[in-house]
Amino acid sequence: MEGQNMTKRLFFTKLAALFIPLALAFILPPLLVDPFNVFHRKAVRRNGVTPNENFIKTSYILDNKDKFDSFAFGSSRMGALHVENIEGYRTYNMNYSFGIPQEHLDNIRTFLQAGVKIRMILINIDEVCCAIDWKWHADDPMHRPYPADGDFLSFYSLYMKPEIVLQSLPIIMKNKQDDEAEWRRNFYETGWWAGYDLDTGFKPVNADDDPVDTDQQYYFYFDALNALKEIASLCEENGIKLIVFSSPLFSGQYRLSVRAGYLDFLERLASVTPYYNFSCINAITTDSSNYLDPSHYKAQVGDMILDRIFCEDKSAHKADMFGEYVNADNVGQVLAALREQLGMQP
């Protein structure tokens, strides 16, 4: 009997000696390489791969519930908005790549359920939020939302797949970005990614060049509108000041979006919540020096947005329609003026 037990122990010892190295070979690379920084959320690294900003930023706020009392939500279009300049509030920029209202709603609910005290919410909308089907984010490692349902096992299992590491390695190995410490500090302390000195040298042939040629239509704006309606109700229930504003798209991108139905979205939005509209044609949106690329405005334009929203004199920018305040009463007039700018029929 003792000999049999020794044989069994020897067998299991050999099996463990074989299994453990194999298990470590599969487990350690995703944990150590961690391209999207989900396992390094408290010390995010600048490795050349865009981190899962939704998950990391949401986790950061939940770990620091009293640090901020206001939050700005939007896609990467809002990455140059220096919300720390808003007086009277401690605001964090929650922008994340392809951020959409459905995800903002989940984030806000998660914050409130966790006891985060919120005084103000800013929501930046654009054609992205009405063009993205939120379901595709579930299996995308860069965009997978924070697991509001608490299913962290399912969430982390996506990032344990070896192919995610293999696909990211070429990018990580070529990464030569410096100033990681400053970048990390901005990531956690402010949330924006575009500083005042960032300039990509974006120079289109002319102001109305379209970045792409497509007949794309936006099919998902009803989801976005429903989510924005729920956000408005949630803010009202909890005494939270809600400010919604549209992104000042570069004129070529704006014209492309209008062809795909963006003005229809803006018209419907007014029945859900009032908003400041920065999507228009004027001296700002036709000047490429104000942009990093057709989709992203510079920090200096971000300051113009904040100045328009928070200034006392609401008529200061009315002549160029930059930041026009839109509600259910004046939306018809505003949309008619926007169509006139574009040479469209009212």
Side-chain angles (χ1 to χ4, degrees):
M1 180 66 71
E2 185 177 344
Q4 289 180 345
N5 289 337
M6 185 175 295
T7 301
K8 288 181 180 179
R9 285 197 296 270
L10 183 61
F11 170 76
F12 284 114
T13 299
K14 290 182 178 180
L15 187 63
L18 177 64
F19 174 76
I20 291 176
L22 287 175
L24 291 176
F26 280 95
I27 293 174
L28 286 181
L31 293 176
L32 296 176
V33 178
D34 188 19
F36 298 96
N37 276 282
V38 296
F39 299 112
H40 292 76
R41 63 180 181 81
K42 293 187 177 182
V44 63
R45 303 157 306 169
R46 197 178 192 186
N47 59 13
V49 178
T50 301
N52 183 331
E53 297 161 310
N54 186 326
F55 174 74
I56 299 170
K57 289 184 173 183
T58 302
S59 299
Y60 176 67
I61 298 304
L62 294 177
D63 290 339
N64 299 272
K65 297 178 184 178
D66 299 322
K67 189 165 187 175
F68 303 97
D69 61 18
S70 302
F71 303 93
F73 288 91
S75 68
S76 63
R77 299 277 176 80
M78 200 177 64
L81 196 70
H82 287 234
V83 293
E84 70 275 15
N85 294 331
I86 301 175
E87 294 183 3
Y89 296 90
R90 292 176 285 113
T91 311
Y92 182 72
N93 192 328
M94 281 287 298
N95 79 91
Y96 35 81
S97 175
F98 286 105
I100 52 179
Q102 291 86 346
E103 294 167 349
H104 308 335
L105 174 62
D106 285 339
N107 293 151
I108 296 169
R109 281 175 173 163
T110 298
F111 289 168
L112 291 173
Q113 290 169 2
V116 178
K117 305 298 183 184
I118 306 177
R119 295 174 57 207
M120 179 176 65
I121 293 287
L122 291 92
I123 303 284
N124 183 201
I125 59 96
D126 49 37
E127 87 285 14
V128 170
C129 79
C130 55
I132 298 296
D133 184 356
W134 61 271
K135 299 181 184 68
W136 75 268
H137 280 185
D139 297 318
D140 187 276
M142 184 187 300
H143 303 104
R144 186 163 190 174
Y146 180 90
D149 59 0
D151 188 0
F152 288 90
L153 181 62
S154 175
F155 176 85
Y156 282 119
S157 65
L158 173 65
Y159 299 91
M160 295 302 295
K161 295 180 179 180
E163 59 265 31
I164 288 181
V165 174
L166 293 174
Q167 292 169 0
S168 303
L169 276 177
I171 299 173
I172 294 173
M173 293 176 68
K174 292 179 181 178
N175 177 49
K176 295 181 179 179
Q177 300 180 82
D178 54 7
D179 299 325
E180 181 172 88
E182 182 179 356
W183 174 82
R184 184 186 296 116
R185 180 186 63 80
N186 287 337
F187 187 96
Y188 291 120
E189 297 300 318
T190 63
W192 52 260
W193 56 265
Y196 291 98
D197 58 346
L198 182 60
D199 191 347
T200 60
F202 168 58
K203 285 182 171 47
V205 176
N206 64 65
D208 291 330
D209 276 354
D210 292 328
V212 291
D213 183 14
T214 178
D215 292 325
Q216 174 188 5
Q217 295 295 320
Y218 295 159
Y219 296 111
F220 307 112
Y221 56 74
F222 288 111
D223 284 339
L225 289 172
N226 289 336
L228 288 166
K229 185 175 182 178
E230 289 192 56
I231 290 173
S233 297
L234 196 61
C235 287
E236 185 176 3
E237 292 170 7
N238 290 274
I240 300 170
K241 181 177 182 179
L242 175 64
I243 297 174
V244 178
F245 64 100
S246 68
S247 187
L249 306 175
F250 180 65
S251 56
Q253 182 74 29
Y254 172 63
R255 291 177 186 277
L256 174 66
S257 303
V258 168
R259 291 209 306 267
Y262 184 44
L263 292 185
D264 294 334
F265 171 76
L266 292 179
E267 186 169 14
R268 293 171 184 264
L269 178 61
S271 64
V272 173
T273 180
Y275 62 94
Y276 292 89
N277 180 52
F278 294 92
S279 302
C280 55
I281 300 292
N282 59 27
I284 296 171
T285 61
T286 56
D287 184 351
S288 62
S289 68
N290 288 321
Y291 292 83
L292 300 169
D293 57 44
S295 294
H296 299 91
Y297 54 83
K298 290 183 178 179
Q300 290 80 357
V301 177
D303 284 348
M304 296 179 194
I305 292 172
L306 295 179
D307 178 64
R308 173 67 181 97
I309 292 174
F310 292 98
C311 71
E312 294 183 4
D313 183 4
K314 296 299 184 184
S315 64
H317 302 272
K318 201 162 188 175
D320 58 12
M321 297 190 70
F322 188 74
E324 187 85 8
Y325 187 71
V326 185
N327 56 31
D329 294 329
N330 71 349
V331 63
Q333 179 183 352
V334 173
L335 266 292
L338 292 177
R339 291 188 174 98
E340 184 179 353
Q341 282 184 341
L342 297 163
M344 301 170 61
Q345 293 295 324

